[in-house]
Amino acid sequence: MTNVLEDPAPLQLNYVPDEFQGRENEASELKTAFAGSEEAPLPNLHVHGPRGTGKTQVVNSVFSNLPKRVSKAYVPCDKYDTQYKALKQICKAFSQDVDDGHHTSELQRKIGEQVEVMKTVVILDEIDFLLLNDGDDLLYFLSRLENSDNISVVTISSNTKNLESLIEERTYSSLQPRRIGFEPYNGEELYQILAERAKKALASKSLQREALTYIASSTSNLGRSLTWLRYAAKTAETTITEELVREVEASAYQEYVNQLLDDFTEHHYLVYEAVYETSGEGEDSVRTGKIYEKYQELCRSTEKEALSDRRISDYIKQLELLGVVQADYYYGGKKGKTREVNLG
Ligand SMILES: Nc1ncnc2c1ncn2[C@@H]1O[C@H](COP(=O)(O)OP(=O)(O)OP(=O)(O)O)[C@@H](O)[C@H]1O
Ligand SMILES: [Mg+2]
């Protein structure tokens, strides 16, 4: 703890606030979808919006207040990115014992049985990662369950407004999700939300108004701005000034990226570092070949065995989904399609 930071928890990303200012409409849209009679079929939903707009927490808080007769499974698909891993998580949420060695079809059968006897909500957060890695078999299976009126599939994405573009037509047509968009907060809302969290975390009078205004006007991603504020608070001696906030902007952003990468492998981190270092070499964007060379170099210097360029190309796509790198695709060149990557 420092003089300024009295309690880091309210500035941490997994901290759940008592209320979600500015998300009343989205929360009530979610609730209305489940407000029908007990016999009404449960709808499927697709929740989308930029990073740090409250999707994960608002969806979870609405669904944890559902009536007891509805069971709920939450699966972060960046971590559980195959049908098998996700099915296992869903079974676990229904407190069915699943040791290793169960076959996919067996897990599917268990879930089918569960849905037969109980209304069920399955939340698939960061759905893009699973689709990228394993296709849409899981969604197809869930959408085609015999008692599909009894199950609601809720997908969440920071990248894809319309699921239709990512999944097969037969899956989409049986899923037919209702879309719920989370718009970025405006400057005023960001300021209020951050001020509220700061009040709980910081010593009184330790935060200058201009410092908070600067953060709120620089990014609408609350994950990034909360991390930024926490970082500044850790650095400050007595007061968080605008000057300090500007000074730590780049390091605080790196801290935010590190938190995102925490759930991934060390090779993801090395790839990110490779993009970071190569893009520092004068050009804005670099070809993937060059990134791969840099990555190999980093592996050698840390005595790790490099993964194939195929795998690394997938990792770059995952970094893209996280929003920490951007890629542009060009046609032409030796390999047909080439990719240029830069920092997000
Ligand atoms: N209206 C709000 N009031 C207070 N805190 C909020 C509000 N909306 C979001 N937050 C906070 O912002 C952080 C990010 O929220 P959350 O993880 O739900 O966003 P997200 O849209 O899922 O982000 P990502 O796309 O990166 O997963 C959390 O710490 C959350 O508590
Ligand atoms: Mg989220």
Side-chain angles (χ1 to χ4, degrees):
M1 256 22 53
T2 64
N3 293 336
V4 173
L5 188 59
E6 289 183 336
D7 178 9
L11 296 181
Q12 256 139 19
L13 304 191
N14 57 8
Y15 177 90
V16 182
D18 297 332
E19 52 180 322
F20 291 92
Q21 296 177 50
R23 282 295 171 243
E24 295 79 9
N25 291 344
E26 291 80 358
S28 83
E29 257 188 274
L30 286 163
K31 281 181 208 148
T32 338
F34 289 85
S37 71
E38 234 176 275
E39 292 76 47
L42 292 180
N44 296 319
L45 305 174
H46 179 63
V47 173
H48 61 88
R51 291 221 166 262
T53 49
K55 301 180 298 298
T56 298
Q57 287 195 359
V58 172
V59 168
N60 272 301
S61 84
V62 166
F63 288 120
S64 51
N65 291 318
L66 284 178
K68 279 272 180 328
R69 57 188 162 80
V70 183
S71 59
K72 179 187 112 172
Y74 172 77
V75 185
C77 298
D78 48 346
K79 207 158 160 205
Y80 303 99
D81 62 356
T82 64
Q83 165 168 222
Y84 184 76
K85 289 183 200 166
L87 288 171
K88 225 164 127 179
Q89 277 313 105
I90 298 169
C91 285
K92 274 193 187 154
F94 302 150
S95 58
Q96 301 182 349
D97 49 330
V98 275
D99 31 312
D100 289 331
H102 281 285
H103 202 259
T104 301
S105 59
E106 214 174 317
L107 297 174
Q108 289 179 333
R109 185 179 49 75
K110 278 173 185 280
I111 291 168
E113 285 168 5
Q114 161 83 18
V115 171
E116 214 169 288
V117 296
M118 187 129 188
K119 287 195 180 253
T120 301
V121 177
V122 173
I123 302 166
L124 301 171
D125 200 353
E126 303 282 3
I127 185 65
D128 308 71
F129 288 85
L130 191 147
L131 293 173
L132 172 71
N133 191 40
D134 203 31
D136 71 356
D137 290 348
L138 173 70
L139 283 181
Y140 186 68
F141 162 72
L142 293 174
S143 72
R144 285 297 175 104
L145 277 169
E146 206 170 310
N147 298 282
S148 67
D149 283 0
N150 249 356
I151 181 173
S152 168
V153 180
V154 181
T155 48
I156 305 180
S157 171
S158 305
N159 296 277
T160 313
K161 252 194 177 143
N162 193 345
L163 258 195
E164 200 171 2
S165 60
L166 281 192
I167 61 183
E168 305 222 13
E169 205 187 315
R170 58 172 199 170
T171 309
Y172 190 79
S173 64
S174 52
L175 208 57
Q176 300 274 355
R178 189 185 306 176
R179 264 168 43 183
I180 299 182
F182 279 50
E183 295 295 321
Y185 296 105
N186 63 38
E188 184 74 20
E189 289 169 323
L190 291 165
Y191 185 94
Q192 289 304 332
I193 292 169
L194 290 169
E196 192 66 36
R197 301 271 280 248
K199 206 165 74 189
K200 293 198 169 78
L202 306 180
S204 65
K205 303 214 168 76
S206 63
L207 175 62
Q208 283 186 356
R209 176 178 288 273
E210 296 74 25
L212 201 55
T213 307
Y214 184 78
I215 294 179
S217 62
S218 304
T219 171
S220 56
N221 176 343
L222 272 174
R224 193 184 147 199
S225 43
L226 286 164
T227 308
W228 193 352
L229 198 52
R230 197 179 69 231
Y231 194 96
K234 274 194 293 192
T235 318
E237 300 248 348
T238 54
T239 323
I240 303 173
T241 60
E242 182 184 341
E243 194 189 356
L244 175 72
V245 159
R246 285 174 186 268
E247 224 173 83
V248 301
E249 177 164 5
S251 327
Y253 177 71
Q254 290 313 316
E255 173 118 338
Y256 169 68
V257 173
N258 290 350
Q259 291 172 106
L260 290 178
L261 292 181
D262 242 6
D263 281 338
F264 293 81
T265 68
E266 57 188 359
H267 288 274
H268 286 87
Y269 195 83
L270 289 172
V271 177
Y272 177 77
E273 218 173 293
V275 177
Y276 190 83
E277 288 191 14
T278 43
S279 61
E281 286 169 5
E283 299 154 61
D284 278 345
S285 55
V286 272
R287 294 275 162 100
T288 38
K290 217 167 145 195
I291 293 169
Y292 189 63
E293 279 168 28
K294 187 60 157 194
Y295 158 77
Q296 285 177 308
E297 199 183 305
L298 291 170
C299 282
R300 273 195 299 276
S301 66
T302 50
E303 296 187 0
K304 288 185 190 84
E305 193 150 346
L307 303 173
S308 70
D309 63 348
R310 198 63 184 274
R311 287 281 289 287
I312 294 315
S313 163
D314 286 341
Y315 284 18
I316 292 176
K317 283 189 199 130
Q318 292 170 334
L319 295 179
E320 238 186 297
L321 289 177
L322 286 174
V324 300
V325 308
Q326 277 168 358
D328 291 313
Y329 297 83
Y330 297 99
Y331 290 91
K334 265 199 302 239
K335 286 186 178 167
K337 196 164 114 178
T338 57
R339 206 153 40 138
E340 287 192 355
V341 181
N342 58 51
L343 293 168

